[in-house]
Amino acid sequence: MTKAPAFAALAFVSLYVSPAAAADIRSIYTPLDVQRCTVLEQVEEGESVLWRCRGAFGIRLFVSSGDGRSDIDAGVANDEFETLPPFNRPGPRVEWRLRDGRPFAIIYRLRSVDSEHPGAGLFVATIGRTGAPGCTMAVVD
């Protein structure tokens, strides 16, 4: 992981916190391996799969994959499929941003699997709750 994209994403998330509370912001990391997740839905056409994965603090991750691209939601799955144009897959871990010990956002990486379009995108997303799905706040190329 390069320092510039990670720093930019963290700086973006920190904009939503007052300077006094910024000292209470920290991160923890959890592994992400869809082979260890539960398949909730599977559609052969387009090879779509929805997995429910273990996250942190009892908050589940929902990993959607379809047509060779992926999306991750935390807390609740939403109907938005936010991904990158090249074929991609999730990175091996998720960063959980904590304020006063409580998670408020995740940061995850989608890595290109297309040799003609190498690279990755770093996504910053809020954690959804019933009736209020999370959303992507930033994407850093």
Side-chain angles (χ1 to χ4, degrees):
M1 172 157 82
T2 63
K3 291 181 183 179
F7 178 76
L10 294 176
F12 181 83
V13 170
S14 297
L15 290 175
Y16 291 96
V17 181
S18 70
D24 297 336
I25 302 295
R26 64 183 183 97
S27 295
I28 65 164
Y29 301 84
T30 57
L32 179 60
D33 178 3
V34 294
Q35 300 301 319
R36 305 186 93 200
C37 299
T38 301
V39 174
L40 297 179
E41 292 179 21
Q42 189 164 9
V43 178
E44 288 184 37
E45 184 177 331
E47 300 178 7
S48 297
V49 181
L50 173 63
W51 290 276
R52 182 182 63 227
C53 306
R54 195 177 261 171
F57 300 92
I59 299 170
R60 301 289 187 191
L61 294 172
F62 294 89
V63 180
S64 302
S65 179
D67 193 31
R69 293 167 182 86
S70 300
D71 174 44
I72 300 176
D73 298 317
V76 295
N78 66 29
D79 293 331
E80 299 291 323
F81 192 76
E82 300 164 310
T83 191
L84 298 173
F87 297 124
N88 61 66
R89 70 171 155 245
R93 74 188 59 79
V94 173
E95 178 179 354
W96 296 79
R97 297 293 288 160
L98 311 175
R99 180 184 305 120
D100 297 325
R102 299 176 73 172
F104 67 94
I106 60 170
I107 301 174
Y108 64 92
R109 186 178 300 274
L110 293 180
R111 298 176 187 270
S112 173
V113 295
D114 184 345
S115 61
E116 292 182 28
H117 300 96
L122 196 66
F123 286 71
V124 180
T126 60
I127 296 173
R129 290 167 178 63
T130 303
C135 65
T136 297
M137 301 296 291
V139 179
V140 181
D141 189 358

